Amino acid sequence: MAAATAAACSKGCSKRWREAVSGPAPIVCDTCPVADRAVCSALSPDDRGELTRIGHHRRYARGETIVAAGDSATVCATLTRGAAKMSTIDRDGTERIVALVHPAGMLGQLFAPTATLHVTALTDSEACLFPASHVAALSDTRPALARRLLAEVSRELDESRALIDLISKRQAKGRVAALILAFARAASPAPCHDAESFDLPLTRGEMAQLLGITIETVSRTLTALEDAGVIVRQGSHGIAILDRTALDDLAES
């Protein structure tokens, strides 16, 4: 039953992904919030212009599937706004988050023949989509793009290692603190400083799943951090960092 459900889901997700590629929304680089950080920033204006002509822009609602495991990897996509998670889903339907994607990050697996991970929008998000074959061909003839793609893969590997370290070495409070700091870095439009206030892209349950702790522990830890004046929660998803030094110290515990 689970396998049949997964197959039906994959088929539906594949259809949505194909529809995203053929969507009518044009790409407008002049207003792109990650134009100076995305992989395509390594290209010349002419090459970027060619990509905008053959690519499309797509919006995704919170919780919407962007890529489904098993889909043919025919598209290369860059997240321009929002946040996404990359996860595996086993036969029992249990999801395990293996990576988070923030603006300027790549969605999917460019050089794989088929996707092995599910990619889901954590918030209302936007992405630019390009034919993967065209991007791969460009990387063969544009050394700057090839280097930028390699740098992106290296960055993703570093983040995966940091995620493993976060889960395996810290106390529960330290794990939550480190994850908040990671969200603060991702929420900032500038690499030189972190955002002081932002929306948490993960639910309490998703945070617990990612960190390997219970939902109750996540809730208690957030309450304790707020009671200690380290953070303050704003609405259902918002959070502001009040004491960065204390949060840094906890993240190292």
Side-chain angles (χ1 to χ4, degrees), residues 147-200:
R147 289 193 296 271
R148 186 65 183 80
L149 286 170
L150 180 60
E152 178 66 15
V153 171
S154 297
R155 184 192 62 76
E156 291 177 354
L157 180 59
D158 287 342
E159 289 190 355
S160 295
R161 288 169 173 165
L163 185 58
I164 293 172
D165 177 70
L166 185 158
I167 296 170
S168 63
K169 292 185 178 181
R170 295 187 175 91
Q171 300 288 334
K173 186 175 287 188
R175 295 183 191 185
V176 174
L179 189 59
I180 291 173
L181 289 174
F183 290 147
R185 287 191 294 272
S188 175
C192 57
H193 66 273
D194 298 346
E196 294 182 354
S197 61
F198 50 91
D199 284 343
L200 289 172

Side-chain angles (χ1 to χ4, degrees), residues 6-110:
C9 178
S10 178
K11 183 177 179 181
C13 292
S14 298
K15 181 180 179 182
R16 286 194 294 272
W17 184 241
R18 290 193 297 271
E19 289 173 347
V21 178
S22 60
I27 294 173
V28 183
C29 292
D30 290 345
T31 58
C32 177
V34 297
D36 59 338
R37 295 183 285 141
V39 167
C40 55
S41 64
L43 292 170
S44 68
D46 288 342
D47 287 336
R48 286 199 301 274
E50 182 179 352
L51 279 182
T52 61
R53 286 191 292 274
I54 63 174
H56 298 85
H57 183 265
R58 170 74 193 270
R59 294 181 177 179
Y60 297 91
R62 179 185 179 94
E64 186 174 355
T65 295
I66 300 174
V67 181
D71 281 358
S72 296
T74 57
V75 170
C76 173
T78 296
L79 189 69
T80 57
R81 288 185 175 87
K85 62 180 177 180
M86 302 179 73
S87 58
T88 62
I89 301 177
D90 63 21
R91 290 178 179 272
D92 297 327
T94 301
E95 181 186 36
R96 290 179 174 82
I97 300 173
V98 299
L100 301 175
V101 184
H102 303 290
M106 294 183 65
L107 301 169
Q109 298 154 281
L110 175 59

